[in-house]
Amino acid sequence: MSTSSTPPGSTPGAIPSLETLHAVGAAQQPTYPDRLALDDAVARLRKMPPLVFAGECDDLKDKIAAVSRGEAFLLQGGDCAETFEGVTAENVRNKLRVLLQMAVVLTYAASVPVVKLGRLAGQYAKPRSADLETRDGVTLPAYRGDAVNGFDFTAESRIPDPQRLVEVYHASAATLNLVRAFVTGGYADLRQVHTWNTDFVRGSVVGQRYEVLAAEIDKAMSFMEAIGVDPDELRRVDFYSSHEALLMEYEHAMTRIDSRTELPYNVSGHFVWIGERTRQLDGAHVEYFRHLRNPIGCKLGPSATPDDALALATRLNPDNEPGRLTFITRFGADKIRDGLPPLVEKVTAEGLNVAWVSDPMHGNTFEASNGFKTRRFDDVIDEVQGFFDVHRGLGTWPGGILVEMTGDDVTECVGGGEEIDEAGLAHRYESVVDPRLNRVQSLELAFLVAEMLRAAERDRG
């Protein structure tokens, strides 16, 4: 399989040109002061090799189709906003390790395959609530992620720099190379991952709450070993990349025509999604996304109505193709039980093929008394529980979770078994945008969601 690059202006396969998309109205875009430099960066990106391949995207679409039918569960996780500085072997390995640990627990509990989707290798841009940020009487452009400008609060750092788009490509390529090496080179071996979980349970006060489930997995592993089961699937995993496709210049430049089918794919990631702030039905992001053949997602928050969900599904997935569209819900723990049911009911009644995934992070953010942006672990768990409760009540499948997490021992979210309080946030707060679950909190979440999945499986009979 090969892909051909997209020329400037009108794109093959009916993808609208950049000019057309900006004329439609693209929300949350930076204002670049140097148009020639921007055009040069886009031209360079158009010539770059694909970061992922169309066939891989098709494989993921098939797996998400299984999620929509209740035959699989999706685990999506990674940084709120990646940074260029964070592209190291240690950082990537730590995130991957925790995701693999979470996946083993969830796979055993659900008795269905877990689709492993990293929020990485492209998550370098973030929408912001305001274009400007003011500190001590000084007003500068807001930080929009390393893809756009620098985090340092200086006039020079905050100027949007098109060269950063090219850096995103190289950073994403390096990350994907590391991930592929790890998942095919023995690091993802199921026996090794289970040993990590066993160490977590034995060595952590938090983990000791989950000894029973860990012991069950241990018995299953011992049984397979005793009867000589040693398939290749135990030694490697399928792992996919995803990010919010926010910046029109980057995403458009990374769109290619698949030589097998002559259809357009975004080859910057296997799965791309539209954010809550950019899902306007008549906006540029929906117009762009509706042409792609990747599996795609769309965030739905408290302002989304059942009619909004139907209209988005009709526009983004007009052929009702299984696995193509995932609705990622982000209501907040206090709104999920009231806000989600009408959406699921109407979408289900219309017979639409949609996978439902919970983002329990973005609706539960608040500012701590000491000024840190944070989330309560209990709120995250409560929103996931509400998500499961709604689907159980409607007889539909809670298809997955999307979490902002890291493999490091940061202190960015309060609560959890480690009992991080607001004062403790200052100990190791490293996120440049939103707070993430740390390593222990992520594993604790996996064991708690495992209990929810077991209950969901019992309800299904």
Side-chain angles (χ1 to χ4, degrees):
M1 193 281 304
S2 63
T3 52
S4 59
S5 62
T6 56
S10 179
T11 308
I15 287 286
S17 68
L18 266 174
E19 292 76 13
T20 298
L21 292 171
H22 282 300
V24 168
Q28 293 287 334
Q29 302 301 293
T31 301
Y32 291 100
D34 189 338
R35 183 70 208 186
L36 290 177
L38 178 61
D39 291 343
D40 178 67
V42 170
R44 291 176 62 189
L45 286 169
R46 291 195 191 281
K47 297 175 182 178
M48 296 293 192
L51 291 173
V52 303
F53 296 105
E56 296 171 338
C57 297
D58 293 342
D59 290 342
L60 177 59
K61 190 187 299 180
D62 290 342
K63 288 180 170 64
I64 296 178
V67 172
S68 68
R69 295 191 298 266
E71 300 168 2
F73 189 79
L74 187 145
L75 171 64
Q76 185 176 3
D79 280 315
C80 158
E82 295 176 281
T83 63
F84 297 148
E85 186 178 346
V87 185
T88 66
E90 181 181 14
N91 189 23
V92 173
R93 183 186 63 236
N94 288 348
K95 278 187 286 190
L96 180 63
R97 171 174 169 159
V98 174
L99 281 167
L100 293 173
Q101 288 182 261
M102 296 172 73
V104 168
V105 175
L106 295 173
T107 301
Y108 184 82
S111 299
V112 297
V114 170
V115 182
K116 290 163 275 291
L117 186 57
R119 182 187 168 106
L120 49 71
Q123 189 60 40
Y124 289 96
K126 292 291 292 183
R128 304 315 301 264
S129 56
D131 289 334
L132 301 173
E133 178 183 358
T134 300
R135 299 185 193 175
D136 300 324
V138 177
T139 299
L140 296 174
Y143 172 66
R144 290 185 170 272
D146 275 13
V148 177
N149 54 4
F151 182 70
D152 293 341
F153 194 72
T154 65
E156 182 181 14
S157 174
R158 291 298 176 90
I159 297 172
D161 179 4
Q163 177 58 31
R164 287 176 171 269
L165 299 176
V166 179
E167 290 185 55
V168 167
Y169 174 90
H170 292 299
S172 298
T175 300
L176 284 172
N177 284 340
L178 285 167
V179 168
R180 286 172 173 139
F182 283 131
V183 299
T184 60
Y187 191 74
D189 189 292
L190 179 62
R191 289 152 293 203
Q192 176 171 261
V193 176
H194 175 60
T195 299
W196 295 334
N197 277 340
T198 302
D199 291 343
F200 166 71
V201 168
R202 290 174 179 167
S204 164
V205 174
V206 176
Q208 289 170 7
R209 294 162 52 187
Y210 312 111
E211 283 181 307
V212 173
L213 180 56
E216 288 181 30
I217 299 174
D218 196 52
K219 286 182 181 179
M221 297 288 294
S222 298
F223 175 75
M224 286 191 293
E225 184 176 351
I227 63 175
V229 174
D230 189 29
D232 185 57
E233 286 78 6
L234 293 183
R235 293 187 291 273
R236 60 178 303 278
V237 298
D238 292 327
F239 193 91
Y240 301 93
S241 66
S242 69
H243 65 271
E244 179 181 355
L246 180 64
L247 300 179
M248 278 296 164
E249 270 72 16
Y250 181 77
E251 307 300 341
H252 195 277
M254 291 303 297
T255 304
R256 303 284 190 273
I257 302 303
D258 176 25
S259 61
R260 307 166 306 164
T261 61
E262 296 299 315
L263 295 173
Y265 286 78
N266 183 323
V267 294
S268 68
H270 298 105
F271 178 98
V272 288
W273 75 83
I274 304 172
E276 169 75 355
R277 291 186 175 99
T278 53
R279 61 172 172 80
Q280 298 84 6
L281 195 63
D282 59 352
H285 287 85
V286 169
E287 174 61 22
Y288 166 71
F289 267 75
R290 74 184 185 91
H291 296 279
L292 298 177
R293 301 313 304 157
N294 303 61
I296 60 174
C298 184
K299 291 283 189 82
L300 297 177
S303 65
T305 67
D307 286 340
D308 289 338
L310 286 186
L312 284 163
T314 300
R315 189 147 176 82
L316 293 170
N317 191 19
D319 296 329
N320 202 24
E321 179 185 5
R324 170 164 170 76
L325 180 60
T326 298
F327 278 142
I328 306 166
T329 64
R330 42 152 296 177
F331 279 80
D334 59 339
K335 298 182 176 71
I336 184 74
R337 291 172 176 83
D338 294 327
L340 182 58
L343 274 64
V344 177
E345 285 179 308
K346 193 148 192 175
V347 167
T348 304
E350 292 293 325
L352 299 181
N353 290 309
V354 168
W356 293 96
V357 168
S358 172
D359 166 6
M361 308 295 291
H362 285 91
N364 296 303
T365 308
F366 69 98
E367 185 174 306
S369 58
N370 51 6
F372 285 98
K373 193 176 184 182
T374 190
R375 291 155 176 159
R376 293 185 185 88
F377 183 76
D378 286 349
D379 290 341
V380 172
I381 296 300
D382 189 34
E383 176 151 3
V384 178
Q385 184 65 67
F387 177 76
F388 272 78
D389 291 345
V390 167
H391 285 284
R392 183 174 65 246
L394 296 176
T396 49
W397 177 243
I401 55 172
L402 188 168
V403 291
E404 292 185 338
M405 46 73 65
T406 176
D408 300 324
D409 295 322
V410 299
T411 54
E412 297 173 1
C413 293
V414 296
E418 297 175 302
E419 299 182 346
I420 297 171
D421 58 17
E422 292 190 5
L425 294 174
H427 175 63
R428 192 176 170 186
Y429 195 104
E430 298 179 2
S431 176
V432 293
V433 183
D434 288 341
R436 304 160 296 175
L437 300 179
N438 64 23
R439 177 182 61 90
V440 172
Q441 290 168 328
S442 298
L443 293 172
E444 185 174 7
L445 170 68
F447 278 99
L448 291 170
V449 174
E451 295 172 0
M452 299 178 202
L453 276 168
R454 283 197 150 179
E457 281 294 291
R458 286 196 297 268
D459 290 342
R460 294 207 301 180

